[in-house]
Amino acid sequence: MDRILVSACLVGWPVRFDGGTRTSHDPRLAAWAAEGRLVPICPETAAGLSTPRPAAEIEPGADAEAVHEGRARIVDAAGGDHTSAFLEGARVAVATARVRGCRYALMTEGSPSCGVEFVADGTFSGRRKAGEGVVTRALRAAGVEVFSPADIDALAARIAAEAG
């Protein structure tokens, strides 16, 4: 059975930067949890960041690739550099996916870690831009298929195709 690495905030864990969740009430998550498929992770807390913690974003004009290559940082609004913790979270997420046999990941949107199709634009203005977070980038590089909550139908289809 293929396992799914899932952003812990999507399954109700209060691990977001503000101490909140982004709980998905999609019944497929509950079914996958009952089957033992889900492997919840918050890469940021796994890397030692506290909850709550300052909101952080990839610097304006940069992307996850630039962060991984050391050409950009992930900072909070006061300029505090959290890059090393976010990269450690990406490392832990990839290692967890490998050890737990996760071929798929369901990650939350908007986060500098888990964003799949978009992330904050780096200005702390609430605006978003197309792009991925550093964890999503690392998971994809490791061969894990990453989906956003908006793409849960596609994830369900992949799982059904594997089972069929």
Side-chain angles (χ1 to χ4, degrees):
M1 166 182 31
D2 291 319
R3 291 207 166 104
I4 306 162
L5 191 72
V6 61
S7 294
C9 62
L10 291 175
V11 294
W13 295 11
V15 292
R16 287 181 37 82
F17 75 94
D18 59 2
T21 72
R22 278 213 176 142
T23 305
S24 170
H25 299 288
D26 190 296
R28 289 170 287 197
L29 276 180
W32 292 333
E35 293 171 359
R37 286 186 188 273
L38 297 185
V39 179
I41 187 170
C42 174
E44 295 166 25
T45 60
L49 293 174
S50 65
T51 303
R53 57 190 166 275
E57 299 183 6
I58 298 171
E59 291 179 307
D63 60 16
E65 180 178 355
V67 174
H68 277 283
E69 293 175 352
R71 298 182 288 110
R73 302 176 306 149
I74 297 177
V75 297
D76 62 37
D81 187 345
H82 302 280
T83 308
S84 63
F86 279 77
L87 290 173
E88 175 63 9
R91 187 197 66 73
V92 170
V94 168
T96 300
R98 284 185 177 140
V99 167
R100 299 294 306 274
C102 300
R103 293 185 45 202
Y104 308 109
L106 180 65
M107 309 307 285
T108 194
E109 282 291 13
S111 159
S113 287
C114 300
V116 177
E117 297 174 15
F118 62 85
V119 294
D121 73 356
T123 65
F124 296 91
S125 63
R127 290 189 302 259
R128 296 179 173 188
K129 66 177 186 173
E132 62 190 358
V134 295
V135 171
T136 295
R137 172 98 173 129
L139 288 169
R140 286 176 170 155
V144 176
E145 288 185 65
V146 184
F147 299 83
S148 75
D151 295 325
I152 199 165
D153 290 340
L155 173 57
R158 292 287 290 136
I159 290 169
E162 294 291 322

